[in-house]
Amino acid sequence: MRPGLEDRVASPGRDPAVKVDQKAAAEHGLKPDEWKRLCDRLGREPSWTELGIVSVMWSEHCSYKSSRVHLKNLPTEGPRVIQGPGENAGVVDIGDGQAVVFKMESHNHPSFIEPYQGAATGVGGICRDVFTMGARPIALADCLRFGRPDHPKTAYLVGGVVAGIGGYGNSFGVPNVAGDVQFDPSYDGNILVNAFCLGLARKGRIFKGTASGVGNPVLYVGAKTGRDGIHGATMASAEFDEHSESKRPAVQVGDPFMEKLLLEACLELMESDALVGIQDMGAAGLTSSSVEMAARAGAGIEIELSKVPQRETGMTPYEICLSESQERMLLVVHRGREAEALAIFDKWDLDAAVIGRVTDSGRVVMKMNGDVCADLPADLLAEGLKYDRPRKRPRYLAETESFEVRSIADPAESEVPSLVESLLASPSVASKEWVWRQYDHNVRHGTVLRPGAAGAGVVRVLIDGSDRAKGVAITAGCLQRMVYLAPYEGSRLCVAEAYANLVAVGATPLAVTDCLNFGSPEKPEIMWQFAESVRGLGDACRELETPIVSGNVSLYNETDGQAIKPTPMIAMVGLLADAARTAAAGFRRAGDLVALVSPSGASLGGSLGGSEYLARIHGLCAGVPAPLDVARARPVFDAVRAMVEAGIVSSAQDVSDGGLAVCLAECAVSGPAGPVGLDVRLPRSAGDRVDQLLFGEAPARFVVSYPQERADDAERAARSRGALFTAIGRVGGDRLRITLEGDGAVLSRGKPVELELERLVRAWRDGLRVALG
């Protein structure tokens, strides 16, 4: 019997003497046609090391072989875009000679297998992607998806992932200011951990991962190479099954303190003119970094593997090439400047060595003690494979789209208080303070809006030579139920939700990075979801003028054939001209007036399709989500942003999960001065359902509060831009009172439904803790 990959034994420093054939290729994840294509291109069978290199570079995780055909249609350019997709991170101009560098990546499979280290190294990897470009990381965000709260593994996974994110980010010294945590049964066997990082750079000092200049030396710097993480990229490109736990050795181990040294050393080197190119050794380690750097420059690269700093004895060429040990970088410097670079790294107590050189061969050559163990065309590895896989509309949509609201009873007035409490206590809606309190969100003293204060976090950016501070706003999340029910329209709603979160804090949205989490692309129904989602993202970003400058695709997110709900995470970045001109979500003071700003001509209510109300109260994921009409939504977005920027409103919050009633309750319980009551009257037309008005969801609706003396200004700001402005109540008291009135339809014959503030606070604050036991 041929031993498994992990059981093959080699002499120290040598690859195993086994025949490399189609069976070995299959064990590495290559299909028969891919094996044939490789042999035809090489004109021979590959060596063991070459097979390992090709398997990771042709994996879904590294090559995007199933997604590239669709991703090419995304909008990636704009007047502020300095660098779009294709580099380690996207770069956007924010004026004053400054740029923000940002990206989001997935670390799903490692985090399910080993939650602490999987999440921690996800944070470390995304930070390296950003400072590789010459930017100092200044903010983090994390989007997390877990299974049912009562699933046997959920509490363990939540605890480990949150501890891992906090353990790495807090030690590295970057504030975590935004994110999204939700729960759904589809993630029972495959959680999602998507990490975002944003850095600040000088506009004219952006560095790229390129290996140019024949004869220039190639340097290795950072942690020593070990056997951890080998086959991490291929593990991330495969479905889970009952044997997934055995893949624990493929999860890397991170060291945030080493990364801090690496950051400072690299930024110091970047202040010189010695650096040509720099690349993080992320997925596929030394292999991917050397291949990508050579391919971008149209050059070749030659590496002497025996010179790579190693922490374990007897490592083979295969292991050195495929190791995903953390905190490592590959650099190219100008010939003759090696000593200067090595001196900087020595100052920061980092292992560094000259391990190769740039060539004009167009090939990636790996040697061990002078013997060639891999010699492959760089373009063969970098271009990888590209498939236009079959697509088929999922059969489940016929059932979900046939859902009719009349099939469920409209709630009676006596049920409204308990419904609002239940929705506030939903683990996907309830306060995530237990999570973000484990993250240091104030380190660096630049956080303006902390997690939980609004739908977006805001960090301060100082301007050289000025006493003015700009603000950079960050939001991240996904409406996965909406995408599941309508992949195209649901993905558009994800973009609109991110846009809404930014304008609610007064920011002008600039650009997007995404992380597209889906099941197996080899299933036509999953591939249809993916293609429709990408089409929706592209159309919405074009219409809202927010180009996608970076991103990540994570496929094969399923266990035993059960895929997750399609989850295209969207992180959007915005700019505030003045960091002090922002607004939080919670009501600030009693006596303020409250209004709903919404699209002109639209109902104040929303759709129950895909709503938290249907999921939480009725156990249904069904219906058709309310569509996004950008022409009607943009006036609302512009009005709310203008109100915040002008200092007219005291608070602003978009209506999202749970609908209008839940939004009002959240604003009441989350005020900066503590919970405060509210008395509102909501217009209701004849025939309007109570649940649609109170719990329906639709894009571009905002609850704003403002002082009495700014009432005319608030209404003028909305109406002058074409938005509907509906004054609905006043802040104050110890209860949330809701009266539905109009056309003779009044709850309790004109008496309000009263919700005790103390009960709402308890439901919201304790919901997550209670759900997880």
Side-chain angles (χ1 to χ4, degrees):
M1 293 291 290
R2 182 184 298 273
L5 293 180
E6 68 279 6
D7 298 323
R8 291 196 170 101
V9 179
S11 301
R14 289 179 172 272
D15 283 329
V18 297
K19 179 175 176 57
V20 178
D21 55 15
Q22 186 170 320
K23 186 173 182 180
E27 292 173 343
H28 280 75
L30 295 184
K31 309 289 187 186
D33 61 315
E34 295 172 346
W35 165 252
K36 183 177 185 304
R37 188 181 308 189
L38 172 61
C39 294
D40 289 347
R41 176 67 188 272
L42 296 180
R44 57 178 173 81
E45 292 181 342
S47 69
W48 181 249
T49 298
E50 288 174 334
L51 177 60
I53 289 173
V54 172
S55 73
V56 294
M57 293 307 300
W58 282 11
S59 70
E60 194 73 61
H61 189 76
C62 290
S63 75
Y64 287 32
K65 57 189 176 185
S66 299
S67 58
R68 277 191 292 158
V69 67
H70 303 286
L71 298 177
K72 68 180 182 181
N73 297 316
L74 293 174
T76 59
E77 299 179 348
R80 288 183 177 267
V81 176
I82 297 172
Q83 176 65 56
E87 273 291 339
N88 290 290
V91 186
V92 174
D93 186 352
I94 61 169
D96 304 300
Q98 296 173 317
V100 285
V101 180
F102 56 93
K103 189 181 183 183
M104 183 159 55
E105 284 255 6
S106 63
H107 231 224
N108 304 335
H109 286 185
S111 299
F112 183 80
I113 293 172
E114 212 302 301
Y116 184 94
Q117 290 297 347
T121 52
V123 173
I126 199 63
C127 288
R128 288 194 300 279
D129 281 342
V130 166
F131 74 72
T132 291
M133 303 289 291
R136 179 176 291 278
I138 62 171
L140 296 170
D142 292 281
C143 292
L144 312 178
R145 292 294 181 272
F146 299 99
R148 292 165 294 156
D150 59 353
H151 187 277
K153 288 196 67 172
T154 296
Y156 159 74
L157 291 170
V158 172
V161 166
V162 171
I165 291 170
Y168 203 103
N170 297 351
S171 302
F172 185 56
V174 181
N176 196 314
V177 301
D180 186 30
V181 184
Q182 293 194 17
F183 299 80
D184 185 276
S186 72
Y187 307 110
D188 279 350
N190 197 123
I191 66 173
L192 301 184
V193 176
N194 292 180
F196 166 96
C197 181
L198 177 139
L200 182 66
R202 297 201 300 275
K203 182 180 175 182
R205 299 289 289 175
I206 303 299
F207 293 85
K208 299 183 179 181
T210 181
S212 58
V214 175
N216 279 336
V218 177
L219 276 67
Y220 172 114
V221 62
K224 288 183 169 67
T225 294
R227 292 187 171 92
D228 51 327
I230 294 175
H231 284 293
T234 47
M235 178 191 71
S237 305
E239 301 174 30
F240 275 167
D241 55 29
E242 67 273 16
H243 303 299
S244 295
E245 293 287 357
S246 66
K247 298 176 182 178
R248 192 177 300 270
V251 178
Q252 313 94 317
V253 176
D255 182 348
F257 302 105
M258 172 74 74
E259 178 135 328
K260 178 64 174 175
L261 298 176
L262 191 59
L263 162 69
E264 300 299 342
C266 288
L267 292 182
E268 182 174 335
L269 179 61
M270 289 168 178
E271 289 298 316
S272 73
D273 59 354
L275 188 63
V276 175
I278 180 169
Q279 178 81 14
D280 163 41
M281 292 191 211
L286 179 61
T287 288
S288 63
S289 54
S290 56
V291 167
E292 290 170 9
M293 292 185 77
R296 288 189 187 117
I301 197 166
E302 184 177 293
I303 302 289
E304 174 50 62
L305 297 173
S306 64
K307 295 182 179 180
V308 172
Q310 299 165 49
R311 69 169 185 263
E312 299 185 46
T313 60
M315 290 191 70
T316 67
Y318 179 102
E319 292 171 329
I320 297 170
C321 287
L322 270 63
S323 168
E324 292 185 12
S325 294
Q326 295 290 286
E327 293 84 42
R328 302 179 301 157
M329 307 288 267
L330 195 68
L331 304 87
V332 174
V333 299
H334 289 290
R335 185 163 38 184
R337 307 292 294 275
E338 303 94 320
E340 181 180 342
L342 291 172
I344 291 174
F345 297 135
D346 182 64
K347 167 189 169 182
W348 289 98
D349 199 24
L350 292 168
D351 286 297
V354 177
I355 63 169
R357 64 186 180 91
V358 178
T359 70
D360 60 0
S361 67
R363 303 180 73 83
V364 174
V365 179
M366 300 290 185
K367 295 182 177 180
M368 190 68 162
N369 298 316
D371 295 331
V372 174
C373 49
D375 184 350
L376 297 164
D379 61 350
L380 172 71
L381 301 172
E383 290 176 6
L385 307 171
K386 184 166 68 174
Y387 296 126
D388 187 357
R389 296 193 184 275
R391 301 185 292 280
K392 180 182 178 183
R393 190 176 191 270
R395 288 174 290 179
Y396 70 80
L397 289 174
E399 179 179 352
T400 58
E401 290 173 351
S402 67
F403 169 78
E404 295 185 4
V405 174
R406 64 186 181 186
S407 66
I408 60 173
D410 200 17
E413 58 191 60
S414 60
E415 297 178 276
V416 171
S418 63
L419 292 175
V420 175
E421 284 183 37
S422 179
L423 288 167
L424 274 180
S426 166
S428 291
V429 174
S431 170
K432 304 304 186 298
E433 184 176 3
W434 179 85
V435 174
W436 57 256
R437 282 294 295 268
Q438 297 184 58
Y439 307 152
D440 190 340
H441 49 274
N442 285 321
V443 66
R444 299 183 55 85
H445 305 292
T447 303
V448 179
L449 281 182
R450 60 166 174 75
V458 178
V459 291
R460 186 181 298 107
V461 174
L462 301 178
I463 303 169
D464 291 340
S466 172
D467 57 1
R468 179 171 63 91
K470 296 180 292 191
V472 174
I474 299 159
T475 187
C478 177
L479 307 170
Q480 66 272 354
R481 278 195 306 271
M482 304 296 187
V483 182
Y484 175 77
L485 296 172
Y488 173 81
E489 197 59 57
S491 297
R492 287 168 56 80
L493 291 171
C494 292
V495 176
E497 171 69 8
Y499 200 101
N501 285 336
L502 292 184
V503 300
V505 299
T508 299
L510 299 180
V512 166
T513 181
D514 58 33
C515 195
L516 310 180
N517 305 273
F518 289 77
S520 170
E522 297 173 46
K523 297 178 179 178
E525 292 189 344
I526 299 295
M527 207 62 229
W528 186 89
Q529 288 178 336
F530 181 86
E532 285 296 286
S533 177
V534 170
R535 188 169 68 89
L537 296 179
D539 285 351
C541 287
R542 265 184 289 270
E543 293 175 58
L544 290 169
E545 301 176 81
T546 52
I548 299 174
V549 298
S550 60
N552 173 239
V553 176
S554 175
L555 302 178
Y556 293 99
N557 287 290
E558 53 184 80
T559 298
D560 295 329
Q562 296 299 310
I564 63 167
K565 282 187 171 67
T567 313
M569 297 287 194
I570 300 298
M572 191 178 289
V573 172
L575 181 66
L576 295 87
D578 183 349
R581 285 297 181 99
T582 188
F587 296 138
R588 293 186 63 184
R589 54 183 168 262
D592 276 358
L593 302 181
V594 177
L596 181 66
V597 186
S598 57
S600 180
S603 167
L604 295 187
S607 168
L608 294 184
S611 66
E612 181 70 21
Y613 170 76
L614 276 190
R616 173 76 168 177
I617 306 302
H618 296 281
L620 296 172
C621 180
V624 177
L628 169 67
D629 183 339
V630 172
R632 300 175 77 178
R634 188 182 287 277
V636 182
F637 293 146
D638 292 344
V640 172
R641 189 190 62 78
M643 288 179 189
V644 177
E645 187 177 52
I648 295 172
V649 297
S650 306
S651 69
Q653 167 79 321
D654 79 300
V655 180
S656 184
D657 293 340
L660 179 56
V662 170
C663 181
L664 292 170
E666 287 178 319
C667 294
V669 301
S670 64
V676 60
L678 174 67
D679 192 341
V680 297
R681 293 177 175 269
L682 301 178
R684 177 188 183 196
S685 300
D688 282 356
R689 288 177 59 106
V690 171
D691 51 11
Q692 287 179 317
L693 178 58
L694 294 182
F695 309 120
E697 299 176 19
R701 297 183 300 157
F702 295 81
V703 170
V704 298
S705 66
Y706 47 92
Q708 174 79 53
E709 61 271 19
R710 302 305 299 268
D712 290 343
D713 296 334
E715 185 168 358
R716 188 180 306 112
R719 296 192 188 281
S720 66
R721 290 168 173 81
L724 178 63
F725 183 89
T726 308
I728 60 174
R730 185 183 297 271
V731 178
D734 61 355
R735 295 174 182 271
L736 172 57
R737 298 177 176 86
I738 302 176
T739 303
L740 301 188
E741 58 183 18
D743 292 340
V746 183
L747 283 180
S748 293
R749 295 177 296 281
K751 295 181 180 179
V753 171
E754 297 194 356
L755 298 90
E756 295 180 20
L757 196 58
E758 184 178 333
R759 292 175 63 93
L760 296 179
V761 170
R762 189 161 54 245
W764 183 69
R765 288 186 175 168
D766 296 345
L768 180 60
R769 178 181 59 81
V770 171
L772 292 175

